[in-house]
Every structure is written in C-alpha cells, then in structure tokens.
Amino acid sequence: MKRYDNNLIEAIRSKADLLELMSDYTRIDGSRKGHWAICPFHGERTASLHLEPRKGVYYCHGCQAKGDIFTVPMVLDGLSFGEAVRHVAERFGVPVDDADMDENVQAQYRMRRALELSQEHFHKKLWADTSKVEAFRVRGVSIEMMKEWTLGFAPKNDSELITSLRKAQLFDAAIEAGIISHGQHGPYSTFSNRLIFPITSKTGKILTFAGRAIDPNAKAKYINGKETQLYNKSSTLFGLKKSLQGIRDNDNIIIVEGYFDVLLMHREGYVETVATCGTALTKEMVKSFYRLTKKAVVFFDSDPAGKRAAIKALPLFAHYGVDANRAYLPDGTDPAEIILSQDSDTLIDSLESDKPLMDIWLHDLSSSFPRTPSGRQEAALAIKPVINSYKGVAKDIVLRNAASVLGVSPEALKGLVISIAA
C-alpha cells in the first residue's frame, strides 16, 4: 500500500477531534475534571480512559491501552492503517486524493460515492412524488423525520439513476454496492418501486439501503442491500448512529425488528432504539454497542418468531456482560402498530413491565427437558455456556437463579457446569 504523505497525516490530526471520535465508540464521563471515558478496549464500568484532546492521544489506567486518533478505529473496527486514515479523514471532512489509496480502499471509496449519489437521488425522488411522501406519513413518519433520516423512494424503470451513475463513472461501483442489478433486459435499480431506508455505520457513513415495497403483491415486502466490503448485515444495527446520544444519556438500548419501529419509537422519545437489519441478533451487533451501555431491552414482535428470537439472544448478551430485559406487546402486534394506534399506555406499560431475559430463558430452557434426573442433567449442561459467560458475583447470581429454576442445589449445579478453567 502506498504511504500517506506526512502533510496529509498532520492535516487530519489537526482537524480531528479525539473526544468526538471516541464518543462514536464509548461514553464520555462528564462528571470528572479533565477528559475521561469508559474504556472501549476492555470491559469496565468506571471511566479509566484519559483523553488528551490537544495532543490527540489517550491512555487507559486500567488496561494500559494507548494510542491516537488512528489507533482507535484500527483496534475497535479492525482497520488497517490506510483504512483508518481514510476513515478519520472522512469523519472530519479532510479530502484525500484517490492516488493516496491502495486498490482495496479505492474500491470501497468508489462504492461509498455511488451510495451517496444514490441516496441523494432517492431522497430527491421522494419529494417529487407526493403519494410516496404520504406513504411514509400514513405510517406515522413526519416530514421532519423524512429529512432527518434522509428517507427516499426508488422509482420504477429508474434510467435517470443509471445515467447519473454512468456520468459520474460510478456504474461498476454501484453494481458492486448492490444499488444496480443486471436483468434479462439490462441493468435496473435493485430497489425499484420501494420506499428507501438508508443504512449507515456507527459513524454515519452510508453502507447500503433497505427497500419497502409499494406494490402489495410484491414477492418480498422488504429487501436489504447485499453484503459488500462496506456492509455486513450480521454486524449492523439500523439507526445506531442516530441513537448513540440516547444510548449514552439513558444508559440503555432498545432493540426492535423493524425500520418503521425505530422511526416511530424515536418519534415517541425513545431515542435509544435500533433495529436488526432483517436478520437475527448476533454477537457482532451486541459488540457494536456493549461498550456504550450494559443494559438492553429486547422489544421484538409478539409473534412466535419474535419470542424465539428474543430467547436465542440471551447467550449473546451474556457473552458481553449485558443485562437484557424482554418487553412484551399484545399478541400479533409490533411497536409501530401500537404507536400508530395511539395506544401510548400500552407502549409505556410494555416497556415498564419488562422482565429479565435471563429468567425467561431459564424457564423456557428448563421446560424443554423432562423433569427427571437425567432431564435435569441435560438442562444443566445446556445452561453451562451461558453461566460461564459471566464472571464473579454475576456468575454466582446467575448460577443460583438457574439452580432454583431447575430444582437442584446451587452446589450440585456449580460442580457440574463450572470447570476449573472457568
């Protein structure tokens, strides 16, 4: 990879704000003199990461992690130095000449430019069609939110988008990014005749789109962009960038399943709400926020699939030490439907009467095995990975709760599930 010019590196250093950059990954502690943050490089609850904005460096008094504005995304996002330079430069609006980038980074940059051009196009097309603006409005989304979230519409037979991408020499990049697809009759807009939801990274960079069908007879109600060098659906949460401040302020995150759920929850003041992107919750998703908060509320749909998804999520939360609760809605409903029905009492009651996901998970797992000696043994072994995800006092509490649900003594359960290594 070509080396970056030292003048460019220094220009990025002078423009970048360490506090702002670090706030993309963790919570800044404003209660102490100086600049301190919860360390995103190791698990902790008390801020031990000391930030020196003037020098652009940091040092953790807990794990001894140290570095500068470039090592933050290198360590936390797994970027190479060149990719980190590009990331920080884009984050703070410092232009980087294409000639300074290696082939891989150039490809990513071209894809992002194609995504940005398409995002502007879809947003413009939304305002050009009042019926599509109304399609968002009848689902509870205000004009202000359409602008704030840069929502859009992809018309049918959108030759204008294809022409614009070709003119900008981004057509191939648009193919790679999944914006344009090849069909029997030539290229076409992947999200044709759909309401558009831009999906961004934690730092607000456009990654892909999700499209909601206008035609009720469409084969798929929603389609999500394909996975690329930029977008991995298993590690992306819709709305995370918009929710960062709310997560920090409320020390909590609410996880829903739908794009409209996120928008309407934000409208109602639950600005710590995010959604999975058409897939089950994963470790990578939990990893994307666990340094910001150790509290989560799973607010999935009340159908059987939503209930199963919530239960399956427990081991993922346990792995990162996140205390998760499950909020319940009336059968057959989702958060957006409750909000649209103007039933605020039900929404509030659902969130305020949430229950620990661990208790729900334990009872569900226990009931999956016979209440016989061998059945209890099997249940205990199934619980082992989750119990061993916890440490110290938390592990002891979980173990005692599990023993109570299984109907065995804590000592017997401890001897079975906790190895010497654990």
Side-chain angles (χ1 to χ4, degrees):
M1 185 184 73
K2 296 179 181 178
R3 294 189 63 181
Y4 285 92
D5 181 85
N6 286 336
N7 291 330
L8 173 64
I9 297 296
E10 291 309 311
I12 297 171
R13 289 188 193 279
S14 64
K15 186 72 178 292
D17 185 322
L18 179 65
L19 293 179
E20 188 176 338
L21 178 66
M22 195 64 76
S23 69
D24 289 336
Y25 299 94
T26 190
R27 187 170 69 254
I28 306 297
D29 185 356
S31 63
R32 297 174 61 181
K33 185 177 181 180
H35 302 287
W36 296 83
I38 301 295
C39 181
F41 305 102
H42 79 288
E44 66 174 7
R45 292 185 181 274
T46 303
S48 62
L49 184 71
H50 185 229
L51 308 172
E52 296 188 55
R54 187 176 62 81
K55 296 181 180 179
V57 298
Y58 60 85
Y59 176 78
C60 178
H61 292 269
C63 69
Q64 286 73 57
K66 60 182 179 180
D68 61 11
I69 55 170
F70 300 120
T71 57
V72 175
M74 287 176 68
V75 175
L76 298 179
D77 292 331
L79 304 183
S80 67
F81 177 72
E83 292 168 333
V85 169
R86 161 61 57 182
H87 171 87
V88 179
E90 288 186 351
R91 176 70 174 79
F92 295 98
V94 180
V96 177
D97 187 350
D98 285 3
D100 291 330
M101 297 181 288
D102 66 15
E103 184 176 343
N104 184 51
V105 178
Q106 284 188 43
Q108 292 183 30
Y109 181 54
R110 286 193 295 269
M111 273 198 291
R112 181 159 286 120
R113 286 175 58 202
L115 286 161
E116 290 169 347
L117 186 153
S118 301
Q119 182 180 25
E120 292 175 4
H121 176 83
F122 294 146
H123 192 57
K124 181 180 71 174
K125 289 301 179 182
L126 174 63
W127 303 120
D129 190 333
T130 55
S131 67
K132 302 311 180 293
V133 172
E134 188 62 20
F136 275 116
R137 289 189 65 180
V138 297
R139 292 173 174 84
V141 182
S142 68
I143 295 293
E144 291 73 20
M145 291 193 74
M146 293 179 216
K147 294 177 180 178
E148 180 187 354
W149 291 74
T150 326
L151 304 179
F153 171 65
K156 283 184 180 179
N157 306 319
D158 196 357
S159 59
E160 183 181 337
L161 174 62
I162 294 173
T163 299
S164 296
L165 289 164
R166 288 189 190 280
K167 186 175 181 180
Q169 298 184 334
L170 294 172
F171 180 78
D172 290 342
I175 295 286
E176 287 295 315
I179 304 163
I180 301 298
S181 299
H182 283 298
Q184 291 183 340
H185 305 290
Y188 65 94
S189 172
T190 303
F191 302 94
S192 177
N193 200 31
R194 290 177 181 270
L195 301 177
I196 298 296
F197 302 83
I199 297 174
T200 68
S201 69
K202 189 188 294 185
T203 56
K205 295 177 183 176
I206 181 71
L207 301 176
T208 188
F209 303 102
R212 204 274 190 194
I214 294 292
D215 183 355
N217 298 316
K219 290 182 180 180
K221 187 175 181 180
Y222 282 93
I223 60 172
N224 293 293
K226 71 175 187 178
E227 296 202 340
T228 66
Q229 293 182 61
L230 296 177
Y231 174 61
N232 181 342
K233 67 180 180 181
S234 296
S235 60
T236 305
L237 288 167
F238 174 70
L240 185 55
K241 169 61 176 176
K242 299 283 189 185
S243 303
L244 286 175
Q245 193 61 50
I247 294 169
R248 296 187 198 102
D249 291 346
N250 299 315
D251 191 19
N252 185 47
I253 186 170
I254 299 174
I255 306 171
V256 297
E257 292 183 291
Y259 304 111
F260 279 111
D261 292 335
V262 172
L263 294 173
L264 268 62
M265 287 288 285
H266 275 249
R267 192 194 79 179
E268 294 301 299
Y270 298 98
V271 292
E272 67 272 34
T273 305
V274 300
T276 56
C277 294
T279 185
L281 195 73
T282 65
K283 278 187 179 180
E284 289 75 19
M285 293 176 191
V286 179
K287 186 178 180 181
S288 71
F289 69 78
Y290 86 100
R291 295 185 179 94
L292 298 168
T293 181
K294 294 292 186 181
K295 299 175 185 176
V297 175
V298 178
F299 205 23
F300 290 171
D301 296 354
S302 58
D303 58 16
K307 294 174 182 177
R308 288 193 299 271
I311 290 172
K312 288 182 179 179
L314 188 277
L316 311 178
F317 291 118
H319 181 80
Y320 289 102
V322 175
D323 296 325
N325 281 13
R326 168 81 156 103
Y328 288 88
L329 286 168
D331 287 345
T333 60
D334 58 40
E337 290 171 340
I338 293 297
I339 294 170
L340 276 177
S341 70
Q342 299 184 342
D343 189 357
S344 58
D345 288 343
T346 295
L347 181 70
I348 294 169
D349 289 345
S350 297
L351 290 168
E352 291 186 348
S353 60
D354 58 346
K355 297 175 181 172
L357 190 55
M358 172 61 77
D359 292 351
I360 299 168
W361 185 83
L362 285 172
H363 283 88
D364 183 80
L365 185 142
S366 178
S367 65
S368 300
F369 295 91
R371 297 198 71 82
T372 62
S374 60
R376 298 298 87 186
Q377 174 95 353
E378 290 182 68
L381 289 173
I383 287 171
K384 178 177 178 177
V386 174
I387 292 178
N388 283 331
S389 295
Y390 291 89
K391 300 184 183 300
V393 173
K395 176 180 282 191
D396 185 67
I397 292 172
V398 171
L399 188 145
R400 290 179 183 277
N401 288 344
S404 176
V405 172
L406 292 178
V408 301
S409 72
E411 292 74 22
L413 184 60
K414 183 176 181 178
L416 180 65
V417 305
I418 300 182
S419 65
I420 295 175

